[in-house]
Amino acid sequence: MRFLRASSGIGIAGLLLAASFTAPARAAPADVPAGYDCAVTYASLGWTTGFTTRVTITNTGTRVFSPWILQFVFPGSQTLMQGWNATFSETPPSVQAASPIWQQSIDPGTSFWIGFNANGADEHPTGFTLNGVPCAVTFGPY
């Protein structure tokens, strides 16, 4: 797991807390600084033994996420096979996707997409957070 610079405005404690989320994102915790907000669009396509995804991360707030880590929780025994456009790590059932060196920031009003292949059932993950900030989530077809 990569550590965030102090300038990100979100502390390591928030990241550790985000790793423990197991329910869908609701409202931002009281300790999230004003101006941080996000949305995720999760699109997947399943096959017999796994699935592929495209996850679009949108900064809907007024502050920059830099660097960033998107976290979510698989609902079952799914495991990552490979990913792209982020540095992926996994502590099942939690998955972390950290900003790549060419896209360290997601500015307000902009989006960035990542993708991955995984083994297991094509079921929707939960608890999407960006630097510890719960994100609104939309699920759709690939």
Side-chain angles (χ1 to χ4, degrees):
M1 177 183 227
R2 293 182 45 190
F3 291 98
L4 299 177
R5 294 189 312 248
S7 64
S8 70
I10 305 295
I12 298 304
L15 290 176
L16 295 174
L17 175 63
S20 67
F21 286 172
T22 58
R26 300 273 192 257
D31 62 343
V32 172
Y36 286 107
D37 204 5
C38 54
V40 168
T41 302
Y42 181 96
S44 63
L45 177 64
W47 63 83
T48 306
T49 60
F51 56 100
T52 189
T53 66
R54 179 180 172 114
V55 180
T56 303
I57 307 161
T58 303
N59 183 342
T60 58
T62 58
R63 297 180 71 173
V64 175
F65 286 98
S66 180
W68 54 267
I69 296 177
L70 180 73
Q71 295 185 285
F72 58 90
V73 178
F74 280 136
S77 60
Q78 298 85 351
T79 57
L80 288 176
M81 293 169 44
Q82 64 185 18
W84 48 93
N85 282 351
T87 302
F88 285 87
S89 60
E90 180 178 32
T91 306
S94 181
V95 175
Q96 301 79 37
S99 53
I101 59 172
W102 66 88
Q103 186 70 39
Q104 288 289 304
S105 300
I106 303 176
D107 294 325
T110 66
S111 298
F112 183 72
W113 71 271
I114 62 174
F116 63 88
N117 291 330
N119 290 314
D122 182 12
E123 299 173 354
H124 295 158
T126 60
F128 285 88
T129 63
L130 186 61
N131 291 8
V133 176
C135 298
V137 181
T138 302
F139 296 98
Y142 193 84

